[in-house]
Amino acid sequence: MDVGRIVDTALKLIDEVGIQALTLRMLADTLNSGTATLYRHFNGKDELLALVADRILGEVRIPAEELDGLSWREAVSAAAEALYGTLCRHPNALSLLAAQVPVGPNALRGRERLVTLFTGHGFPIGLAARAFTAIGHYVIGFAIQQYGPGTPRPEDQLQLRDYYKSLDPVAYPATTAAADELTSVPLHEEFRFGLDLLLDGLEGQRQLQAEA
């Protein structure tokens, strides 16, 4: 049986039922096979999940021609948006990207491409490595917090807003005054705001190290 088909089917099941509910027996039944066949390809569920995580990263595709002529900031923004969009399509699988450092073929290609992008725009290798890590942590962390299993629903935000407004304005003057802003900013706008702050900081560090 083709490994790619097994991994694709596992991801489809995770999207439907979640990681915890997925079993090798369920996967084998869906493939009209047996668990013994799966064990010929994987030592266990953990090894399979690592391949699923890399499969997700393989969906992050930005044609090189789309980045031609862009500034480093525009190119990194495009890469971050592409990763974020991909992760949002697989909310049940988000924890896989946080459980371990991805080192599969797709992860390695993406890491190499982005670190090279930074160094090609004047970032020293050390800063390029830290920039890559910071961007990855931000995008994955934001996606997990906003889209992972058990995250707040839109109606929960309304309840949170009402709760903030109900607080004692003497004890919590800033929170009550900012109740609407704390709970009503669209998620993608919030994502871009945080990403832009991070990129501003990286540009400042790049300039400082260039002047040193």
Side-chain angles (χ1 to χ4, degrees):
M1 183 179 295
D2 178 69
V3 172
R5 182 183 170 218
I6 297 173
V7 174
D8 287 347
T9 303
L11 176 56
K12 183 175 182 295
L13 288 172
I14 289 171
D15 287 339
E16 293 174 356
V17 304
I19 294 172
Q20 297 304 318
L22 174 70
T23 64
L24 293 184
R25 167 54 61 191
M26 178 191 299
L27 177 59
D29 289 345
T30 303
L31 291 165
N32 295 316
S33 181
T35 55
T37 300
L38 298 182
Y39 278 111
R40 295 193 191 104
H41 299 284
F42 316 104
N43 291 326
K45 184 176 176 180
D46 287 345
E47 184 176 337
L48 171 63
L49 292 179
L51 292 176
V52 170
D54 197 62
R55 163 66 177 76
I56 293 170
L57 294 177
E59 292 183 13
V60 184
R61 298 187 181 95
I62 309 175
E65 58 270 18
E66 290 187 12
L67 302 182
D68 289 345
L70 298 183
S71 67
W72 75 265
R73 185 178 180 124
E74 291 169 332
V76 171
S77 292
E81 290 271 11
L83 174 58
Y84 179 60
T86 297
L87 297 182
C88 291
R89 291 196 298 271
H90 302 289
N92 285 340
L94 288 174
S95 62
L96 295 179
L97 279 301
Q100 57 187 317
V101 176
V103 292
N106 292 316
L108 289 174
R109 279 192 290 269
R111 184 177 290 105
E112 180 70 18
R113 187 178 186 185
L114 200 54
V115 173
T116 299
L117 189 156
F118 280 120
T119 57
H121 284 84
F123 281 69
I125 188 64
L127 181 58
R130 297 183 70 176
F132 167 82
T133 301
I135 293 291
H137 285 172
Y138 173 72
V139 176
I140 294 171
F142 191 95
I144 288 174
Q145 186 180 46
Q146 299 299 339
Y147 291 96
T151 53
R153 301 161 298 173
E155 53 267 34
D156 295 330
Q157 289 293 91
L158 295 177
Q159 293 177 3
L160 184 60
R161 179 199 62 190
D162 293 341
Y163 171 70
Y164 287 155
K165 287 185 174 182
S166 73
L167 295 172
D168 182 354
V170 175
Y172 304 100
T175 300
T176 54
D180 288 322
E181 289 74 12
L182 287 170
T183 57
S184 64
V185 178
L187 285 181
H188 191 266
E189 184 178 327
E190 185 179 341
F191 173 77
R192 282 298 321 196
F193 181 77
L195 179 61
D196 286 340
L197 289 179
L198 181 53
L199 296 176
D200 287 343
L202 291 174
E203 174 61 17
Q205 286 295 311
R206 186 185 71 83
Q207 293 180 10
L208 283 175
Q209 295 201 20
E211 295 168 358

